[in-house]
Amino acid sequence: MNNKINKTLIIGLGLIGGSLAKALKINRKFGQVIGYDRDPEETQKGLQIGVVDIAAESLAEAVEEADLIVLAVPVKAMEKVLVDIAPFISEETLITDVGSTKANVVDAAKRVFSALPVGFVPGHPIAGSEKSGVDAADESLFEKHKVILTPLAESSSEAVNVFTHMWQSTGAEVLKMDVEKHDEVLAATSHLPHLLAFSLVDTLAQEQDNNTDIFRYAAGGFRDFTRIAGSDPTMWHDICLANKGAILAQLDCFTHGVSKLRAAIDNGDSESLLGTFTRARAAREHFSRILSGTAYSQGMSEQNVTFRTQPGGSVKGRIRVPGDKSISHRSIMLGSLADGVTEVTGFLEGEDSLATLQAFRDMGVVIEGPNDGEVTIYGVGLNGLQEPPGPLYVGNSGTSMRLLSGLLAAQSFDTELTGDASLTKRPMGRVADPLRLMGAEIETAENGRPPLKIKGGQALKGMHYDMPMASAQVKSCLLLAGLYADGETSVTEPAPTRDHTERMLTGFGYSVKQENATAAVSSGGQLHATRIDVPADISSATFFMVAAAISPGSDLTLEHVGINPTRIGIINILRLMGADIELQNEREVGGEPVADIRVKYTPLKGIHIPEDQVPLAIDEFPALFVAAACAEGTTVVSGAEELRVKESDRIQSMVDGLKTLGVDIEGTPDGAIIKGGSIGGGVVESHDDHRIAMSFCVASLRATDEITINECANVATSFPRFVELAQMAGIKVEKEEG
C-alpha cells in the first residue's frame, strides 16, 4: 500500500469535518484538502473562508482523485454515502469516519462492500462544540482531545498508522479500541448523559403548574447539566437508533441506580445515601484528575515533570512530612474489614494510598474523605466486601497490589488487580506462589507479573511459610489471607521487617501470636473499629534527615515521625556514619512509637553498612547512597538485592545517576561501593521512581552545579507537595511541568 497522501477528501463540512479539513490544510502533511458537502453552498463557503483547498462539485470525481477519505456525515446518512462512493474507490484508498457509533458504520460497510477494504479504519474524535456548520470550523478543535480508532480484522496496519498520524497532526491523542467496546463506553460516557439531559428538560417543561418557575429559578447546576440538551435533536435521534443495544443497557443500569437511591431516601437509609454521594464525589474528583493529567489512571499518560535544582544551601527549622504510607494503606484495609466506624487522622493523601482507598470504595465500602488527612471508614466486616464493577486499578502501588492479593484470594467473587506501566514490570510471584500453596487460584502475566486474576470462592488452608526474602509486603499478604484460612497461618522472616500489619491487627482487636521471627494468625476472629492517628512517614523524613546530615550549617527538626523499631534502620545507619541525630518527645500513638527527630550537620564517615540493618531501611537506601557520596572514605552496601525489584532497579538507577554527577561508585549484585568526594552537576534520570527523584534533589545541597532530574511525576505517589516543603526547608529546587 502506498502511504503517500497527495489529496485528502472530507465528505461533510460541518463542525467536525470542517475543523479537520482546516487543521489538515494548515499543517500540510496530508496533501491538498478537498471538501464536499451535500449543500453546495457549504462547500463553496468552505473554499471561500479557507477551510479547504478545493471545493468538489462532483463527488465521484473527488473520490477517484483522493488517496484518503474522511466521512464526516450524520450516522443515518453513512450507508448512502458509502453506496455513492463505493464504485469509485481503489484498493489503495484509505477511508475513515467520525461517527460517535461504530457498529452501525461497520454493518453498513459490510452491506455495501463485498469485502471490507483493507484501508477502512473507523474512527471517532471525542470533541465538539455547540456551534455547527463550516463557519464554526476550528483548526484547534482536536488539540488535547482524544480520538478513538476502531481497527477491524481486515484493516491493514499501514492504514491504521496513517490515520493515527493524521489525527496526531491535529494535536489529538489517539487511542485504539474494538468496535463493541467503543459503543459500550460511549453509550455510558456520552450518549446516556445527553439522553438524561433531554429527558429532564422535557419532563420539567411539561410540568403545567410550575414549569415557568422551575426554569426562572434554575441554579447554575441545572443550567450546566442541561446545556447539552441544546444539541441537534436529529443527530441524537439517529444515535439512539444506531446504538440501541448499548444505550438501553446503560439506561437500565442508571434506572437501577436511581431506584436504589429512591429506596434509600424513602427508608431513611443514611449509610446508603452517604455511600452513593461519597463514591460519586470521589469518582468525579478522580475524573477531574485524569483530565488534568495528575491522576493514577489506566491508559493515561502522566504529565512530564522535571526537577531543576541549584547547588548549595542548608536546611533549618521545624517541618512535618506527610503521614506514613504503610500505615495509611493498612488503616483503609483493616478499617474496611472492621465492624463499626473507624476514624483516621494524618492519612497520606498520595496516589498510592488513594489507590487503596478507591479499591475498597469499588468493593462497596463507604469512606468519607480524605479531608486534610481525615478519613472516616464505615466498615463492612470481614465478609462484607462486594464484587467490584471491574478490575481494581492500583496505579503504581506495589503495596496495594501485594496486600490486596491476600485479602482477595479468600473472597467469594473473582477480581483482577491491574497497575500502571511501572507496576506491571514488578514481580508478584512472591505473593502469588505462597497464596497458591494456601489454595488460592491466581493467574499472572509472564514471569509472575501483573495483572493478577484471582478466582473467588476458594477455601484457603492455613500453613507455615518460611519467607525466602525479608519482605513486609509478603508477610502482610499472607497474614491477611490467614484471617480467612482454615487453621493457623504463620510466617517466619529471615530478617526483621516492618510490623505495621501485626501492630494494627492487634489495635483492631484481632489476636496475633508473635514469637521471635514468626508471626501467626488464625481465622474466626473479628476486627473492631478504632481510631488511628497516622504518624509522619520516616521514609519521607529520610530525605530531610540526609539533607541536614550532609549540608554544613543545617539544624532541622522533623515532627511526629514514626520510629517503629522495624523502620529505624535509617537512624541507626546515619548514626554509625557519625550523624548528629537526637530523638525528642518520644511517645506512643495508636500502638506506634513516635518522636520528633532533630538532625544537625556534622561530617559523615564511610562505613560498611551492617546487613542486619538493610531490611530496616530498604526504602531509604537511595537517600543513603547520597549520604555515602558526601562521607569521608568508602561506604559499602551489601545484602540489598531487594532494591533491584522496586519501582526501578534502585541500585542501578543510583549508580548511573551518581556517576553522571562525578561520584566514584561501583554497583554490585546486592549493593554498591561508594567513595565519598565531591558531587558535580548534570542531567540524571529517575526512571519514574519517586525515591530516586527526591534523593537526587537532596544531593543538590552538596553539588557544585545545577542538577536536572527527569521523570519526577511519580513523586506524588508517596510525597505530595515535596517540592514546596523542600523549598521551605532550604533546598533550591523548582518543578517544571509540560
Side-chain angles (χ1 to χ4, degrees):
M1 178 176 287
N2 178 14
N3 288 339
K4 181 172 175 54
I5 308 299
N6 295 311
K7 290 186 178 180
T8 293
L9 170 62
I10 310 292
I11 302 177
L13 294 180
L15 172 69
I16 300 296
S19 297
L20 177 59
K22 193 172 183 180
L24 297 181
K25 183 174 181 290
I26 290 172
N27 69 45
R28 286 298 178 200
K29 294 181 179 179
F30 289 83
Q32 286 186 300
V33 178
I34 307 171
Y36 177 86
D37 194 274
R38 62 183 177 180
D39 182 349
E41 291 185 5
E42 287 289 282
T43 306
Q44 287 302 317
K45 187 182 291 184
L47 180 64
Q48 292 166 7
I49 64 177
V51 170
V52 297
D53 296 306
I54 301 170
E57 296 181 3
S58 166
L59 180 58
E61 291 178 5
V63 171
E64 287 180 332
E65 292 179 15
D67 303 301
L68 186 153
I69 299 173
V70 180
L71 307 176
V73 299
V75 170
K76 191 174 181 181
M78 196 71 68
E79 185 164 353
K80 183 180 185 307
V81 173
L82 287 171
V83 170
D84 290 343
I85 70 172
F88 308 105
I89 66 170
S90 72
E91 292 181 359
E92 300 293 319
T93 306
L94 303 179
I95 309 170
T96 190
D97 76 302
V98 299
S100 69
T101 62
K102 298 272 68 89
N104 66 300
V105 174
V106 175
D107 289 343
K110 288 178 179 178
R111 288 191 293 269
V112 172
F113 298 102
S114 56
L116 287 176
V118 297
F120 178 44
V121 183
H124 175 208
I126 305 177
S129 158
E130 294 177 10
K131 301 176 182 178
S132 61
V134 72
D135 284 326
D138 177 4
E139 68 274 15
S140 65
L141 183 68
F142 309 107
E143 289 180 5
K144 298 183 180 179
H145 283 72
K146 292 174 176 58
V147 173
I148 301 174
L149 295 181
T150 58
L152 309 175
E154 296 85 354
S155 302
S156 71
S157 59
E158 294 91 339
V160 175
N161 288 336
V162 170
F163 287 120
T164 298
H165 294 147
M166 181 192 78
W167 284 112
Q168 287 174 340
S169 76
T170 70
E173 177 188 356
V174 179
L175 308 174
K176 297 179 180 66
M177 199 177 286
D178 65 48
V179 168
E180 183 178 357
K181 183 67 174 176
H182 169 276
D183 287 358
E184 289 177 359
V185 169
L186 268 294
T189 59
S190 175
H191 305 166
L192 179 63
H194 278 82
L195 300 189
L196 296 180
F198 279 119
S199 178
L200 178 60
V201 174
D202 180 53
T203 299
L204 296 180
Q206 293 184 58
E207 289 272 342
Q208 297 296 325
D209 295 334
N210 62 352
N211 63 0
T212 302
D213 286 344
I214 286 173
F215 292 109
R216 176 181 296 145
Y217 300 116
F222 178 85
R223 291 194 298 272
D224 290 344
F225 176 71
T226 58
R227 175 186 58 79
I228 54 179
S231 302
D232 182 354
T234 301
M235 178 182 73
W236 284 102
H237 162 272
D238 295 347
I239 287 172
C240 284
L241 297 181
N243 200 24
K244 175 181 175 180
I247 290 175
L248 286 176
Q250 293 301 328
L251 276 172
D252 289 344
C253 184
F254 177 77
T255 301
H256 176 66
V258 170
S259 296
K260 288 171 61 178
L261 182 61
R262 188 190 188 286
I265 296 171
D266 187 33
N267 298 327
D269 187 344
S270 175
E271 189 169 322
S272 291
L273 286 173
L274 191 59
T276 297
F277 300 150
T278 55
R279 286 193 299 273
R281 179 183 177 185
R284 181 65 183 84
E285 290 173 349
H286 184 58
F287 296 155
S288 297
R289 290 195 297 270
I290 287 174
L291 293 174
S292 64
T294 59
Y296 63 94
S297 60
Q298 192 166 9
M300 301 290 175
S301 59
E302 287 191 333
Q303 203 169 22
N304 183 46
V305 176
T306 301
F307 289 170
R308 296 193 187 279
T309 67
Q310 298 303 315
S314 59
V315 292
K316 297 179 180 179
R318 298 179 69 89
I319 61 173
R320 178 165 174 171
V321 301
D324 187 288
K325 183 165 66 168
S326 297
I327 297 175
S328 294
H329 279 301
R330 289 160 173 82
S331 70
I332 297 297
M333 293 181 182
L334 298 188
S336 296
L337 299 174
D339 292 310
V341 179
T342 293
E343 295 180 348
V344 182
T345 56
F347 178 81
L348 172 64
E349 297 183 37
E351 295 293 323
D352 282 9
S353 306
L354 292 173
T356 292
L357 189 152
Q358 187 60 43
F360 280 90
R361 276 196 174 122
D362 288 345
M363 290 187 286
V365 181
V366 177
I367 303 174
E368 290 186 75
N371 297 309
D372 295 326
E374 295 186 0
V375 180
T376 303
I377 308 162
Y378 295 80
V380 296
L382 277 167
N383 298 299
L385 296 180
Q386 301 171 19
E387 183 174 2
L392 296 174
Y393 181 76
V394 297
N396 190 243
S397 179
T399 300
S400 300
M401 182 167 284
R402 291 189 176 121
L403 270 62
L404 276 169
S405 64
L407 288 174
L408 296 175
Q411 302 304 316
S412 60
F413 46 82
D414 296 350
T415 46
E416 180 177 353
L417 288 166
T418 67
D420 67 8
S422 173
L423 185 59
T424 302
K425 298 174 184 176
R426 297 173 65 183
M428 294 296 153
R430 58 182 56 191
V431 292
D433 290 342
L435 286 173
R436 290 181 185 121
L437 295 176
M438 295 177 71
E441 287 194 26
I442 302 177
E443 178 185 336
T444 65
E446 186 176 1
N447 297 322
R449 301 187 188 280
L452 302 185
K453 295 181 179 180
I454 303 171
K455 186 172 181 57
Q458 308 306 303
L460 302 187
K461 293 189 177 299
M463 69 169 187
H464 176 73
Y465 187 67
D466 289 308
M467 291 200 303
M469 83 295 288
S471 170
Q473 292 179 358
V474 175
K475 176 180 66 173
S476 296
C477 166
L478 299 180
L479 291 177
L480 292 175
L483 302 181
Y484 299 89
D486 182 28
E488 183 180 84
T489 299
S490 58
V491 182
T492 299
E493 51 191 1
T497 64
R498 58 190 64 178
D499 62 355
H500 301 303
T501 299
E502 297 96 301
R503 286 175 179 265
M504 195 173 290
L505 280 169
T506 301
F508 275 89
Y510 205 100
S511 176
V512 180
K513 293 196 303 185
Q514 293 182 276
E515 185 176 347
N516 300 322
T518 300
V521 297
S522 297
S523 59
Q526 274 185 305
L527 295 165
H528 301 283
T530 186
R531 293 180 61 88
I532 299 173
D533 182 8
V534 180
D537 194 333
I538 194 168
S539 292
S540 296
T542 289
F543 302 103
F544 293 96
M545 292 168 62
V546 170
I550 67 172
S551 53
S554 294
D555 185 351
L556 185 69
T557 299
L558 296 142
E559 299 175 340
H560 195 70
V561 180
I563 54 168
N564 185 298
T566 64
R567 299 285 300 280
I568 58 171
I570 177 63
I571 295 175
N572 299 336
I573 293 168
L574 285 175
R575 279 176 167 168
L576 289 172
M577 296 177 74
D580 184 350
I581 300 177
E582 180 185 357
L583 300 184
Q584 302 174 338
N585 192 22
E586 292 189 55
R587 56 209 184 273
E588 188 168 292
V589 177
E592 291 280 349
V594 172
D596 299 333
I597 303 176
R598 184 180 184 184
V599 185
K600 293 185 287 186
Y601 171 75
T602 188
L604 301 180
K605 63 180 184 294
I607 63 170
H608 190 141
I609 295 176
E611 290 195 8
D612 66 355
Q613 293 299 307
V614 171
L616 307 184
I618 195 66
D619 284 335
E620 290 71 65
F621 269 94
L624 280 170
F625 275 43
V626 172
C630 299
E632 180 183 351
T634 300
T635 296
V636 178
V637 179
S638 60
E641 58 271 14
E642 175 78 4
L643 290 172
R644 292 198 178 273
V645 293
K646 291 289 187 177
E647 281 84 338
S648 69
D649 179 339
R650 285 182 173 161
I651 292 174
Q652 197 61 50
S653 295
M654 291 304 300
V655 168
D656 292 345
L658 287 172
K659 278 186 176 179
T660 297
L661 302 180
V663 175
D664 187 347
I665 180 172
E666 176 187 346
T668 64
D670 64 345
I673 301 169
I674 308 161
K675 294 183 180 179
S678 64
I679 296 177
V683 179
V684 297
E685 304 298 328
S686 77
H687 302 284
D688 285 318
D689 189 320
H690 48 119
R691 299 198 191 280
I692 302 297
M694 290 185 280
S695 296
F696 282 119
C697 186
V698 169
S700 69
L701 288 161
R702 286 285 293 270
T704 58
D705 204 347
E706 179 181 289
I707 299 175
T708 298
I709 310 158
N710 291 327
E711 301 176 302
C712 301
N714 274 337
V715 168
T717 63
S718 65
F719 203 144
R721 301 188 73 251
F722 166 74
V723 169
E724 291 83 352
L725 197 59
Q727 292 169 339
M728 185 188 307
I731 299 175
K732 303 171 185 177
V733 57
E734 297 290 339
K735 180 171 67 173
E736 295 182 0
E737 300 180 359

